[in-house]
């Protein structure tokens, strides 16, 4: 999250009247960017990662753990650290930050007052040495953050705090049901105090006409009540009009009910941003990475608990989607259209609905048949010399209303700024984001890969970051083709939510990324790391033909990551990456170091190593105080977070916790890859 604008925010009734103006001005700023930057070239692919932390505080005497709402104090301590200031500083929101040869990590605020975001001090380059520095840099960030917290506070990388929304889960304590969130579980003070955040939450609720409605399926254990009725819901609260929501059926049977933006935007994730050499390369990466989103979501699963209950899902995505869903009943199709312009099929936090590359292999059959666009804005983009695909993409994003509008920004249109464009762009939280160059920086066209769950350790987060970077290099080097119809990616995102989807579910995926020539293996031989690798890539194929249905099939995550067992099947992402590494003549030492990270990915996909979600669920269900009723009590939560803090330090070594996530306990993975 970058620097936060300051101004006078409009409450929704006033913001609604200015929404069309902001959209139109945003399109004008986009066209100005387009004219300035469509031919922009960079030297080479660069990239960066974003790691988000929860700040927790242990009370060892009472054996309780809470979220610490001291984000502001921690950032201020970082900004005032004299030694860090001498090295250039690391909090751009509070100080001037210098970039030298070995820059400090950068720390940013996030939505939750219990969250921190950290990024490397400068973008990673295209060299393999940078890949090997990622894990160390992530550990360094965590160490710096911890050094500026209280002795009993810790930065942990879990997607959500297991008991967020329960009594006693925050430090300090504030009363719930405030004016902004109007949540019966969370106080307004849980959000970052910058005016953008409470306004965002309040205006989403106001535009929607009711509170956000988040219902997560309960995990039904032996003693879970049937039907399960969330016992934390207060049906007798009468403070705000929206308190009627639960009396009108907002809390569903057999679901965990939540009612505020903070339950979604208080989640942590691992995001990777790529700066492409030019717009053509950026558009290619956007399209080819899109089908990988659900695969990486399932593979990084780490979210089996909400509000003190075990859920029957393993990932966070849909919960965040519901937490920021500002669609009205008309837009949802619940009532006939009267005041709104159109039906809107997806939340503004959702899977992608567009492809944008001018690739001869992109077929009309791959496009979303239910795509909604603003035709007037699309026409303006086309008249401004933007091509059809990209104009369609942005005209789709701009069907939304801007949620936070500052009065000061409405005085005059400045085409040298991007504030109105970013108002819409940055509040479309799709699993991929295509980012034009900013007007005031020497930055290229960027692509943001957003679906991955944050992992408990820096080793895991480095491994997944490095893996997806290597996948992008294989895509560009071999001109890989992962296109499938967009509705199948949407379907895959839903599949990724299933409990243990990484092993138990199948996903639609393209059969052959190297068409038209079949993948050829080198006489069935294996690479040094134990996986077969494909032959060299053909040049870009002509426009495809034949039934689209023949181009894809259902595959397991293991098959997608490690390859199918027959020589004509999908070669596997890791074999493709290893083929790329072979083509680059990477030295033995570097190759061995990279193999550590690829081995984690390989074994998570095969089931030899557990996902974070599986380990967390197992920890809870094995705890002596667990009553097989789906309830994650305070003592269980305390012990779980103590274990997580230990895992962060030991990473399964020395007989520590969670060896199932890091060490193969002798199970044999059958198949040609062994």
């Amino acid at each position: 999250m970058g620097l936060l604008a300051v101004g006078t925010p409009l409450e929704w009734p006033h913001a609604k009247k200015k929404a069309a103006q902001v959209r139109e001005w945003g399109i004008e700023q986009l066209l100005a960017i387009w004219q300035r930057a469509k031919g922009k070239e960079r030297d080479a692919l660069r990239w960066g990662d974003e790691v988000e932390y929860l700040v927790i505080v242990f009370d060892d005497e009472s054996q309780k753990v809470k979220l610490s709402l001291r984000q502001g104090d921690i950032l201020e301590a970082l900004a005032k650290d004299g030694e860090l200031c001498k090295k250039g500083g690391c909090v751009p929101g509070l100080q001037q930050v210098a970039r030298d040869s070995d820059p400090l990590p950068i720390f940013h605020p996030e939505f939750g007052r219990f969250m921190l975001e950290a990024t490397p001090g400068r973008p990673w380059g295209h060299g393999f040495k940078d890949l090997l520095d990622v894990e160390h840099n992530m550990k360094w960030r965590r160490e710096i953050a911890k050094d500026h917290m209280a002795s009993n506070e810790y930065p942990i990388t879990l997607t959500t705090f297991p008991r967020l929304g329960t009594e006693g889960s925050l430090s300090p304590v504030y009363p719930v049901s405030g004016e902004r969130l109007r949540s019966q579980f969370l106080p307004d003070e849980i959000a970052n105090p910058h005016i953008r955040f409470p306004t965002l939450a309040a205006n989403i609720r106001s535009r929607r006409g009711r509170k956000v409605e988040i219902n997560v399926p309960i995990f039904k254990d032996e003693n879970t009540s049937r039907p399960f009725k969330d016992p934390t819901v207060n049906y007798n609260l009468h403070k705000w009009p929206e308190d009627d929501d639960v009396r009108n059926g907002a809390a569903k049977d057999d679901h965990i009910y939540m009612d505020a933006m903070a339950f979604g935007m208080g989640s942590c994730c691992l995001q990777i941003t790529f700066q492409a050499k030019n717009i053509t390369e950026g558009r290619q990466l956007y399209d080819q990475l899109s089908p990988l989103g659900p695969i990486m979501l399932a593979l990084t699963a780490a979210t089996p608990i909400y509000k003190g209950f075990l859920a029957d899902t393993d990932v966070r995505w849909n919960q965040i989607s519901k937490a920021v869903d500002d669609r009205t009943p008309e837009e949802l199709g619940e009532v006939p259209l009267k005041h709104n312009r159109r039906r809107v099929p997806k939340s503004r936090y959702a899977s992608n609905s567009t492809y944008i590359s001018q690739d001869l292999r992109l077929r009309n059959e791959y496009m979303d048949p239910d795509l909604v666009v603003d035709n007037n804005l699309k026409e303006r983009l086309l008249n401004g010399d933007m091509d059809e695909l990209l104009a369609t993409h942005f005209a789709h994003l701009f069907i939304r209303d801007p949620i936070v509008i500052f009065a000061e920004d409405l005085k005059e249109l400045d085409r040298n700024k991007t504030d109105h464009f970013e108002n819409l762009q940055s509040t479309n939280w799709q699993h991929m984001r295509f980012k034009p160059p900013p007007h005031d920086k020497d930055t290229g066209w960027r692509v943001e890969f957003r679906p991955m769950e944050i992992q408990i350790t820096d080793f895991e987060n480095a491994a997944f970051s490095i893996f997806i970077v290597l996948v992008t290099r294989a895509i560009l080097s071999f001109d890989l083709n992962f296109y499938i119809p967009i509705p199948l990616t949407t379907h895959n995102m839903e599949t990724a939510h299933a409990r243990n989807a990484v092993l138990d579910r199948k996903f639609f995926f393209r059969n052959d990324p190297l068409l038209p020539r079949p993948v050829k293996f080198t006489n069935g031989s294996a690479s040094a790391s134990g996986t077969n690798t494909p032959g060299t890539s053909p040049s870009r194929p002509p426009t495809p033909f034949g039934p689209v249905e023949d181009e894809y099939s259902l595959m397991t995550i293991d098959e997608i990551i490690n390859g199918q067992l027959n020589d004509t099947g999908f070669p596997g992402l890791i074999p493709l990456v290893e083929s790329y590494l072979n083509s680059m003549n990477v030295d033995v030492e570097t190759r061995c170091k990279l193999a550590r990270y690829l081995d984690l990915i390989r074994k998570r996909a095969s089931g030899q190593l557990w996902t974070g979600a599986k380990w967390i669920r197992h920890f809870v269900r094995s705890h002596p105080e667990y009553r097989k009723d789906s309830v994650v009590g305070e003592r269980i939560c305390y012990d779980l977070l103590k274990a997580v803090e230990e895992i962060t330090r030991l990473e399964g070594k020395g007989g520590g916790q969670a060896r199932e996530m890091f060490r193969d306990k002798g199970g044999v993975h059958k198949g040609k890859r062994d």
Side-chain angles (χ1 to χ4, degrees):
M1 181 172 294
L3 296 176
L4 298 172
V6 177
T8 307
L10 303 181
E11 294 185 356
W12 179 246
H14 302 289
K16 181 178 180 179
K17 297 175 183 178
K18 300 295 184 180
Q21 176 185 341
V22 172
R23 278 193 296 268
E24 290 167 5
W25 284 12
I27 290 296
E28 295 303 315
Q29 289 179 338
L30 172 60
L31 283 172
I33 298 169
W34 173 251
Q35 295 301 331
R36 287 194 302 265
K38 60 183 176 182
K40 195 168 190 175
E41 295 279 343
R42 311 310 304 148
D43 293 334
L45 182 72
R46 305 176 79 187
W47 65 282
D49 66 86
E50 299 176 20
V51 174
E52 294 170 342
Y53 307 93
L54 302 177
V55 181
I56 61 169
V57 55
F58 286 112
D59 182 344
D60 292 331
E61 185 175 345
S62 64
Q63 295 187 317
K64 294 181 180 179
V65 61
K66 302 179 180 182
L67 283 170
S68 172
L69 304 185
R70 291 200 327 110
Q71 175 195 89
D73 296 335
I74 295 166
L75 289 172
E76 187 173 349
L78 285 162
K80 290 183 176 179
D81 185 312
E83 290 301 313
L84 295 182
C85 290
K86 290 178 183 177
K87 297 177 182 179
C90 59
V91 189
L94 298 177
Q95 61 186 156
Q96 291 292 323
V97 172
R99 302 270 65 90
D100 54 28
S101 58
D102 188 22
L104 291 167
I106 296 295
F107 292 90
H108 304 277
E110 262 294 343
F111 175 87
R113 205 180 293 194
F114 50 85
M115 303 172 72
L116 293 175
E117 177 191 292
T119 60
R122 65 167 181 263
W124 299 113
H126 65 278
F128 291 105
K129 181 183 181 300
D130 276 12
L131 294 179
L132 300 181
D133 287 341
V134 172
E135 182 182 356
H136 168 74
N137 188 273
M138 288 181 174
K139 291 182 185 295
W140 187 29
R141 291 176 231 171
R142 197 188 297 260
E143 290 170 4
I144 292 174
K146 174 63 182 119
D147 287 344
H148 295 81
M149 296 178 184
S151 61
N152 60 342
E153 288 179 326
Y154 294 86
I156 64 165
T157 42
L158 283 182
T159 46
T160 62
F161 183 72
R163 287 180 54 82
L164 177 65
T166 63
E167 186 175 350
S169 62
L170 304 178
S171 176
V173 176
Y174 295 96
V176 300
S177 197
E179 182 179 7
R180 294 289 188 171
L181 297 183
R182 302 190 181 183
S183 169
Q184 60 171 270
F185 307 111
L186 297 173
D188 285 358
E189 289 81 3
I190 199 168
N192 184 313
H194 187 284
I195 192 60
R196 178 179 185 269
F197 295 104
T199 302
L200 184 64
N203 283 1
I204 283 176
R205 173 183 50 74
S206 183
R207 185 188 190 281
R208 178 181 166 84
R210 51 191 170 180
K211 290 189 290 185
V212 295
E213 184 179 308
I214 310 166
N215 282 284
V216 182
I218 190 74
F219 170 71
K220 294 183 179 179
D221 213 335
E222 294 178 24
N223 298 327
T224 306
S225 60
R226 289 169 169 78
F228 172 83
K229 295 182 181 292
D230 190 332
T232 67
V233 176
N234 182 356
Y235 290 90
N236 296 313
L237 191 63
H238 295 274
K239 185 174 181 180
W240 306 105
E242 294 87 349
D243 293 332
D244 286 338
D245 289 357
V246 293
R247 290 183 284 275
N248 293 329
K252 310 298 184 187
D253 284 356
D254 294 322
H255 287 76
I256 307 157
Y257 171 70
M258 293 163 282
D259 66 351
M261 182 176 171
F263 283 109
M265 285 305 197
S267 303
C268 297
C269 66
L270 173 66
Q271 294 179 184
I272 311 296
T273 300
F274 302 96
Q275 178 184 268
K277 291 177 64 175
N278 51 43
I279 189 172
T280 301
E281 186 176 272
R283 292 169 76 160
Q284 180 184 2
L285 286 178
Y286 178 92
D287 281 13
Q288 298 304 326
L289 286 174
S290 184
L292 273 61
I295 311 308
M296 298 308 296
L297 177 61
L299 189 58
T300 56
T303 319
I305 306 174
Y306 277 98
K307 214 180 68 174
F309 298 103
L310 284 175
D312 204 33
T313 57
D314 272 0
V315 300
R316 78 199 186 285
W317 191 267
N318 279 349
Q319 283 66 267
I320 308 178
S321 176
K322 295 170 186 174
V324 295
D325 191 353
D326 67 335
R327 289 176 295 170
T328 67
E330 292 181 18
E331 291 169 330
L332 287 164
E334 296 174 353
V335 298
L337 284 173
K338 183 177 180 182
H339 303 291
N340 295 111
R341 298 181 295 162
R342 57 179 68 88
R343 302 263 190 262
V344 181
K346 294 180 179 179
S347 166
R348 60 199 305 150
Y349 195 113
S351 58
N352 283 23
S353 296
T354 58
Y355 286 131
I356 62 174
S357 179
Q358 294 175 307
D359 189 327
L360 294 178
R361 302 168 298 185
L362 176 57
R363 304 176 62 167
N364 286 333
E365 296 95 323
Y366 301 156
M367 306 307 244
D368 187 350
D370 299 320
L371 186 70
V372 179
V373 301
D374 187 311
N375 289 314
N376 291 332
L377 297 181
K378 179 179 176 179
E379 184 177 2
R380 175 69 187 100
L381 292 170
L382 292 172
N383 291 338
D385 199 32
M386 187 176 287
D387 61 88
E388 174 81 18
L389 283 169
L390 207 55
T392 299
H393 169 76
F394 286 115
H396 166 64
L397 299 185
F398 273 61
I399 66 172
R400 310 288 176 177
D401 280 338
I403 299 299
V404 180
I405 300 174
F406 292 104
E408 292 81 358
D409 295 336
L410 298 174
K411 296 177 181 178
E412 184 178 0
L413 171 61
D414 186 345
R415 288 179 172 82
N416 291 316
K417 296 175 67 176
T418 59
D419 50 344
H420 299 296
F421 168 71
E422 287 295 343
N423 194 327
L424 275 301
Q425 163 92 344
S426 66
T427 55
N428 273 275
W429 297 281
Q430 298 185 346
H431 82 272
M432 298 291 303
R433 182 178 281 159
F434 186 63
K435 304 173 73 170
H439 71 286
D440 58 348
K441 295 180 181 178
D442 187 26
T443 304
W445 294 87
R446 293 153 296 153
V447 174
E448 194 172 80
F449 189 73
R450 302 170 47 81
M452 292 191 291
E453 307 248 294
I454 197 74
Q455 305 295 289
I456 292 175
T457 68
D458 299 307
F459 168 67
E460 295 168 278
N461 288 314
F464 282 105
S465 301
I466 291 166
F467 174 64
I468 204 66
V469 170
L470 290 174
V471 168
T472 65
R473 295 182 184 181
I475 288 170
L476 297 175
S477 180
F478 298 152
D479 203 18
L480 298 176
N481 178 8
F482 293 129
Y483 278 125
I484 60 173
I486 285 172
L488 297 185
T489 297
T490 303
H491 182 277
N492 284 347
M493 287 293 281
E494 293 300 315
T495 302
H497 285 74
R499 178 162 44 92
N500 208 32
V502 66
L503 298 181
D504 296 344
R505 297 300 177 97
K506 291 188 176 183
F507 296 75
F508 290 104
F509 210 73
R510 190 173 186 88
N511 294 322
D512 190 347
L514 293 167
L515 282 172
R517 193 167 72 194
V519 175
K520 293 183 179 179
F521 292 95
T522 56
N523 298 320
S525 62
S527 71
S529 57
T531 53
N532 290 324
T533 55
T536 56
S537 166
S539 60
R540 173 163 291 187
T543 302
F545 58 90
V548 169
E549 295 76 12
D550 292 345
E551 297 178 356
Y552 58 84
S553 58
L554 284 166
M555 303 182 198
T556 64
I557 296 285
D558 188 20
E559 290 172 327
I560 294 168
I561 297 296
N562 294 316
Q564 294 181 312
L565 299 182
N566 59 79
D567 287 341
T568 60
F570 183 74
L573 295 178
I574 285 183
L576 288 167
V577 163
E578 291 182 327
S579 184
Y580 163 74
L581 293 173
N582 289 341
S583 73
M584 297 299 291
N585 296 315
V586 180
D587 65 86
V588 173
E589 182 181 2
T590 299
R591 191 68 180 266
C592 290
K593 290 179 179 178
L594 290 174
R596 292 176 56 242
Y597 301 116
L598 295 180
D599 199 48
L600 177 79
I601 309 299
R602 178 184 295 111
K603 291 180 177 178
R604 287 278 174 93
S606 71
Q608 289 172 276
L609 296 179
W610 291 5
T611 63
K614 184 172 182 178
W615 179 81
I616 292 170
R617 192 181 299 276
H618 174 77
F619 182 96
V620 170
R621 298 187 73 201
S622 302
H623 194 280
E625 290 198 8
Y626 180 64
R627 300 292 177 253
K628 299 183 179 181
D629 55 0
S630 309
V631 176
V632 182
E634 285 187 299
R635 178 57 191 273
I636 298 174
C637 185
Y638 171 83
D639 289 343
L640 172 63
L641 272 292
K642 278 289 184 181
V644 165
E645 195 278 321
E646 177 190 292
I647 295 165
T648 300
R649 289 182 287 106
L650 301 182
E651 297 178 345
K653 301 170 186 173
Q657 301 262 12
R659 287 179 58 84
E660 300 92 341
M661 292 199 294
F662 305 101
R663 295 282 190 276
D664 188 358
K665 287 192 169 184
V668 177
H669 177 57
K670 301 187 187 304
K672 70 178 184 181
R673 290 178 295 279
D674 291 319

